[in-house]
């Protein structure tokens, strides 16, 4: 499953404001989720909803690859923490297995690295 969401207020010729999410079954009990683009106020809800659907559909631990995320703000962090808590309550997990500089910096500054890795 792959989803792409773009902010319609931006020019269609730019990829700014877009997020792409790929979801595939991984090793038994895991689902690999690759995210690219910007995670902000406009795309965080789409990310959260996609992750919650993957969590419910696959009933497995979500392994997130965020290396291709070029920007992530507090709305994105909130989406990740919300899904992480939902996964924990369901007896599953959410782990960021790879992250680029923008995500690593946000997790470090907010002291949430230990929650999501």
């Amino acid at each position: 499953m792959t989803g792409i969401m773009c902010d319609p207020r931006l020019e269609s010729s730019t990829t700014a404001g877009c997020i792409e999410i790929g979801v595939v079954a991984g090793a038994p009990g895991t689902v690999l989720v690759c995210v690219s683009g910007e995670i902000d106020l406009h795309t965080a809800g789409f990310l959260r909803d996609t992750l919650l659907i993957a969590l419910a559909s696959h009933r497995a631990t979500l392994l997130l690859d965020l290396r291709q995320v070029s920007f992530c703000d507090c709305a994105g962090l909130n989406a990740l923490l919300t899904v992480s808590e939902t996964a924990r309550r369901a007896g599953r997990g959410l782990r960021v297995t790879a992250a680029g500089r923008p995500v690593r910096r946000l997790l470090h500054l907010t002291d949430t690295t230990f929650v999501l890795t």
Side-chain angles (χ1 to χ4, degrees):
M1 172 176 83
T2 299
I4 300 173
M5 185 257 176
C6 291
D7 189 338
R9 294 170 293 179
L10 300 174
E11 290 183 31
S12 60
S13 63
T14 180
T15 58
C18 289
I19 185 171
E20 183 173 353
I21 306 168
V23 180
V24 295
T30 65
V31 174
L32 306 175
V33 181
C34 296
V35 182
S36 63
E38 298 181 359
I39 306 172
D40 59 17
L41 181 63
H42 302 291
T43 60
F46 178 66
L47 174 64
R48 182 196 63 237
D49 293 347
T50 302
L51 294 176
L52 289 172
I53 290 168
L55 189 65
S57 298
H58 296 280
R59 299 177 187 238
T61 296
L62 302 180
L63 304 177
L64 273 62
D65 180 342
L66 304 178
R67 284 180 285 197
Q68 298 299 314
V69 172
S70 57
F71 177 81
C72 187
D73 66 7
C74 59
L77 178 61
N78 188 342
L80 295 174
L81 293 172
T82 297
V83 176
S84 177
E85 178 61 17
T86 301
R88 186 190 65 75
R89 289 183 182 182
R92 297 182 201 100
L94 177 144
R95 286 194 353 240
V96 175
T97 58
R101 190 169 197 274
V103 175
R104 286 194 319 266
R105 181 168 165 76
L106 178 64
L107 297 180
H108 174 74
L109 289 173
T110 58
D111 199 27
T112 54
T113 302
F114 70 97
V115 176
L116 296 171
T117 57

